[in-house]
Amino acid sequence: MSSATPESRDRIYRSPMALIGGFLLLVIIGWLGFDAVVSGSGNTPWFALATLLLLVPLVIAFTLRPAVFANHDRLRIRNPFRVIVLPWGEVEMLRSGFSNEVLAKSGTKYQLWAIPVSLRGRKKAARQTARQESGRRPSRGLGLFGGGMQMDGLGGRTPVPEGPTRAETDQIMDDLGDLLEARGQAKASQGEVSVRWAYEIVGPAVAGAVLLLILAAVG
């Protein structure tokens, strides 16, 4: 009977708005580029192809590609041009400011592109928290239902959620922080940090940029 524990499944975090925006941008760029290739004359089709070769990988890199994968052993960050794998034992802390970041014990900082900070989400969460706090305050005439209950709009009363409401991305960072606290000292969570460049993105983009420069120089 094996004593090895099965590897836990990844929790995957991505930005839905980035996915939608990236898909729409690719549709627009593809439509305009295809039209220029088919209908253009002279060097126009070549400029269109070079532009597509440059823009399509960049759009994919900044919209469709970013993701964060977390399991019990490690955190894997897929950013626009790199993939970073950090065992929990090598993570010093997770922090949020104007961006969400992970700080390795080596002092290196990595940004979590797939989990953007939403100031609008934080303001919305703050308003919801204020309404919850207002609902917990005892009111005249409510008797025993004064604290911890609020009207549900149908004449009934529902319990008010305990604790402040968190913005979605802030809640994700809290969840990752809990995972770090629980697994940071585990034997299976030790190892070295690895960083791999996304040459499948960088290569075509650089080729497109070089081709554009050559076409511009040739005229």
Side-chain angles (χ1 to χ4, degrees), residues 8 62 76 86 101 120 128-129 153:
S8 64
F62 286 98
R76 181 162 65 96
L86 298 105
E101 303 165 343
R120 181 180 180 182
Q128 290 178 347
T129 299

Side-chain angles (χ1 to χ4, degrees), residues 124-182:
K124 181 179 179 181
R127 291 194 297 269
Q128 290 178 347
T129 299
R131 287 196 292 268
Q132 291 170 10
E133 292 295 335
S134 176
R136 293 191 189 99
R137 298 192 189 101
S139 301
R140 292 182 180 179
L142 292 181
L144 295 177
F145 298 106
M149 303 291 287
Q150 62 182 8
M151 301 297 293
D152 62 6
L154 298 175
R157 296 182 175 87
T158 57
V160 177
E162 294 294 332
T165 301
R166 300 281 283 163
E168 182 179 2
T169 54
D170 290 337
Q171 183 60 56
I172 291 173
M173 293 298 287
D174 289 346
D175 294 342
L176 292 176
D178 292 341
L179 199 52
L180 170 61
E181 184 177 357

Side-chain angles (χ1 to χ4, degrees), residues 77-98:
I77 306 165
R78 195 170 69 192
N79 279 346
F81 302 114
R82 296 189 299 176
V83 176
I84 305 103
V85 179
L86 298 105
W88 288 116
E90 291 297 316
V91 175
E92 180 67 28
M93 63 181 297
L94 293 149
R95 60 189 182 187
S96 298
F98 292 105

